Amino acid sequence: MKPQDGAPKVTYSTFADNEDLHRSFEAAAQQVRHWFGATHPLLIGGREVDCADKFEDTNPADIRQQLGRFGRGGPQAVEAAVGAAAAAFPAWSRLDYRARIELLRRGAEKISERRFELAALMSYEVGKNRAEALGDAEESADLLRYYCNQMAEAQGFTRTLDRLSANEETLSVLRPYGVWGVIAPFNFPLALSAGMSAGALVAGNTVVFKPASDAPFTGLMLGRILQQAGLADGVFNVVTGSAAEVGDPLIDHPKLAGLVFTGSFEVGTALQRRFTAGGPKPCILEMGGKNAAIVTAQADLERAVEGIARSAFGYGGQKCSACSRAFVARERYDEFVERLAQYARSLSIGDPLERATFLGPLIHRAAVDKYRAAVDQARRDGRIVVGGEVLDSEPFRHGHFVTPTVVDQLAADHRLFQEELFVPLLCVAPVADLNQAIERTNRSAYGLTAGVYSQDEREVREFFDRVEAGVTYANRRSGATTGAWPGVNSFCGWKGSGNSGKGACGPHYVAQFLREQSRTWMH
Ligand code: NAP
């Protein structure tokens, strides 16, 4: 994907230390502050709909700062949104696919034009540092473009099939289902929301989108931008509010034809059971991970330390792809652990809007509590190599700040080796050889990302062939957290990490939002 205006391309791993980018981000951060403190409606049927009940959205780096008050939608709002989406479906689905593409590409342009504002908003709302936030905004626009290209390349997914007689013609046509629910997590509040929505929309479905409760502002911005791009009323609806008040009635709605969800295993599998209880319906789930990296005796240790640290601690471990287990060849173990601890100590923690900050806050108090409980358990059952602190004095007192943590000497089946924690805590263990490292990596209910650091090509090939994960990599300095970009890598979960088998950012994504109809016509 090309930069839009000659500006340097920003991804999660390639944020150039470019003065213009920093100046633009800083100006946008000032601008965005003027938005705070307002009260926001829901977006239903192309109209701003007020909602009597509200909830507050605050900055996780300083919870005294209120970003806005958002509508606490409920069953009535869901009913109205699904109704609006159902009413918009016939016209949107029958619109020529090229017209849908044109509108969504316009949406991508608008996201690109406003990428600094959107990035600054995400820094305030979910605590992303500059590079992470800009990467999220850029990826959102690229996801829209990429899925539009997929639809265009497939020529709307209509193909002529073979014929059995001269006067017979059969077409295979992929057709949209109807109204899709889009349920997104807090951690990529624009990219995942835009990506999932774009897949559904370009295919001709209409959408009711429920953003995460921790990121309603970014979710609503996506709705406003798509509206400005010219999507017809009711094609894209946003209902903010809680899982119970918005999520449950949405899942239960009889007119909801499909569901695309990104979030945790527990929530995703419960939603799937509930959504498909009455019969089969398409339900695309991308879920969590307990991602491992392997460091063999043949590794370039400097690269391994950097890749694993960035992957484990980038955005506070709050990425589905984050590395949370490392298996290291016994003969390199002590050196690796020492260098990793040094690297972890060097990471700057602070306000994510500041240029120097690598690690901002965790998303909410519950995440800090989870971190604290894991650290206590690690202290009891193993060793804290580095980190393990909750930062509660100035200047961190009003935010959810913790330190990057490395833990070892835990039993192989310890809870901390099994459960996704979504905090910056990495469990490390020595292994005898690559065989044992792969065996330990695969001993997980999840299968999202996995990496290997080795200079030996045979080891790398063996790893790729045997590892049970959807996103795999070798010798990346930027680790797994930056593994996906539309058209560059696809992002797909195996085992407990996802059910689609055709991941986001990949070349088969859009077809999942369509069903086949075979049309035989005798002339
Ligand atoms: P989460 O707790 O599972 O929530 C995800 C979304 O589901 C939120 O919008 C949440 O709403 C909603 N939800 C929860 N219960 C619901 C219900 N009963 N009905 C309908 N909706 C419901 O996940 P999270 O904490 O936001 O995000 C972190 C998780 O996402 C991690 O497990 C991470 O690995 C995963 N993730 C996976 C990928 C991937 O591509 N595989 C990418 C990013 C994140 P509320 O916010 O209102 O509770």
Side-chain angles (χ1 to χ4, degrees):
M1 299 274 164
K2 297 276 185 301
Q4 290 312 292
D5 49 12
K9 182 74 190 164
V10 180
T11 71
Y12 303 101
S13 62
T14 61
F15 183 75
D17 213 7
N18 173 295
E19 290 306 321
D20 287 342
L21 283 182
H22 283 289
R23 262 195 298 278
S24 301
F25 182 91
E26 282 154 16
Q30 286 302 324
Q31 173 64 25
V32 162
R33 286 179 77 91
H34 296 299
W35 302 352
F36 296 159
T39 297
H40 299 270
L42 313 175
L43 288 183
I44 298 177
R47 287 186 308 115
E48 302 210 330
V49 175
D50 197 25
C51 195
D53 281 349
K54 302 278 187 286
F55 68 102
E56 278 188 11
D57 185 27
T58 55
N59 177 352
D62 184 343
I63 57 171
R64 294 169 302 176
Q65 184 175 36
Q66 193 210 79
L67 307 188
R69 299 179 73 237
F70 289 81
R72 189 187 287 279
Q76 250 184 324
V78 169
E79 184 60 42
V82 175
F89 176 69
W92 179 249
S93 59
R94 298 186 73 174
L95 195 64
D96 186 279
Y97 72 90
R98 283 161 285 223
R100 288 200 299 266
I101 288 174
E102 198 182 316
L103 287 165
L104 290 167
R105 284 196 176 133
R106 212 179 288 157
E109 287 314 302
K110 292 201 174 294
I111 291 175
S112 289
E113 284 162 18
R114 304 187 67 180
R115 63 192 184 280
F116 290 105
E117 283 174 329
L118 291 165
L121 177 62
M122 285 187 271
S123 283
Y124 283 113
E125 188 171 45
V126 296
K128 292 197 170 205
N129 72 20
R130 291 182 181 191
E132 296 284 356
L134 265 171
D136 196 321
E138 293 262 2
E139 190 184 20
S140 308
D142 276 357
L143 279 162
L144 261 87
R145 292 188 187 104
Y146 184 64
Y147 296 150
C148 285
N149 293 348
Q150 224 167 82
M151 193 74 184
E153 277 159 23
Q155 298 179 345
F157 291 99
T158 298
R159 281 172 63 169
T160 306
L161 301 184
D162 287 346
R163 55 179 76 204
L164 291 175
S165 63
N167 62 344
E168 179 188 292
E169 176 190 73
T170 302
L171 288 181
S172 159
V173 183
L174 295 194
R175 302 188 63 191
Y177 287 87
V179 181
W180 276 64
V182 173
I183 298 189
F186 75 84
N187 66 335
F188 285 85
L190 195 60
L192 288 174
S193 309
M196 289 190 284
S197 301
L201 290 169
V202 77
N205 302 285
T206 54
V207 164
V208 176
F209 166 46
K210 183 203 121 37
S213 292
D214 289 306
F217 212 151
T218 309
L220 204 58
M221 286 301 291
L222 175 65
R224 287 179 174 145
I225 285 173
L226 290 180
Q227 215 165 1
Q228 287 160 9
L231 262 64
D233 294 351
V235 170
F236 188 74
N237 307 275
V238 185
V239 184
T240 51
S242 73
E245 287 161 320
V246 176
D248 286 348
L250 180 60
I251 303 299
D252 292 343
H253 201 291
K255 282 194 182 149
L256 200 71
L259 176 67
V260 55
F261 167 88
T262 306
S264 63
F265 174 84
E266 292 72 20
V267 172
T269 48
L271 294 193
Q272 183 191 33
R273 272 194 300 276
R274 190 166 173 154
F275 182 57
T276 58
K281 284 185 184 184
C283 178
I284 302 172
L285 306 174
E286 293 294 344
M287 300 181 287
K290 189 72 188 175
N291 309 301
I294 293 172
V295 181
T296 78
Q298 268 48 263
D300 170 344
L301 268 202
E302 192 217 332
R303 202 187 269 225
V305 166
E306 183 177 346
I308 290 173
R310 286 176 65 168
S311 185
F313 307 133
Y315 190 37
Q318 300 175 111
K319 296 187 184 187
C320 49
S321 55
C323 176
S324 53
R325 302 180 292 153
F327 301 114
V328 184
R330 200 176 297 283
E331 55 268 53
R332 313 290 299 277
Y333 187 75
D334 290 342
E335 188 189 351
F336 172 83
V337 169
E338 194 186 314
R339 287 167 76 161
L340 183 68
Q342 227 169 40
Y343 197 102
R345 275 188 214 101
S346 74
L347 296 172
S348 52
I349 305 173
D351 182 345
L353 283 127
E354 293 299 326
R355 181 174 178 153
T357 297
F358 175 82
L359 185 59
L362 293 182
I363 189 69
H364 44 219
R365 177 58 49 196
V368 176
D369 292 343
K370 196 176 243 191
Y371 171 88
R372 204 193 304 266
V375 166
D376 288 348
Q377 200 168 9
R379 200 167 272 131
R380 265 199 322 272
D381 303 341
R383 171 177 77 141
I384 308 279
V385 176
V386 67
E389 295 148 82
V390 174
L391 301 173
D392 46 16
S393 56
E394 291 298 345
F396 303 108
R397 199 154 68 85
H398 299 289
H400 306 307
F401 292 93
V402 302
T403 56
T405 302
V406 177
V407 169
D408 74 352
Q409 298 179 6
L410 293 170
D413 60 353
H414 195 278
R415 174 182 91 88
L416 299 182
F417 269 118
Q418 315 294 329
E419 286 179 23
E420 184 189 47
L421 299 170
F422 233 51
V423 299
L425 187 144
L426 174 72
C427 299
V428 191
V431 284
D433 53 21
L434 178 64
N435 190 46
Q436 192 185 22
I438 295 176
E439 189 273 317
R440 291 276 313 259
T441 297
N442 289 345
R443 210 190 297 171
S444 172
Y446 293 104
L448 196 50
T449 76
V452 68
Y453 292 86
S454 170
Q455 301 297 100
D456 180 339
E457 271 187 34
R458 278 168 316 172
E459 285 191 332
V460 172
R461 283 212 190 87
E462 179 162 1
F463 164 82
F464 281 138
D465 286 347
R466 290 178 52 198
V467 77
E468 295 167 3
V471 190
T472 58
Y473 60 96
N475 298 323
R476 283 178 63 109
R477 259 184 202 285
S478 46
T481 48
T482 53
W485 199 267
V488 180
N489 322 78
S490 75
F491 204 83
C492 191
W494 283 21
K495 303 201 284 191
S497 294
N499 72 347
S500 78
K502 297 171 190 71
C505 304
H508 313 290
Y509 190 67
V510 172
Q512 300 173 99
F513 293 87
L514 293 154
R515 63 172 148 209
E516 187 170 11
Q517 183 179 55
S518 167
R519 296 178 172 179
T520 301
W521 191 332
M522 301 300 287
H523 297 288

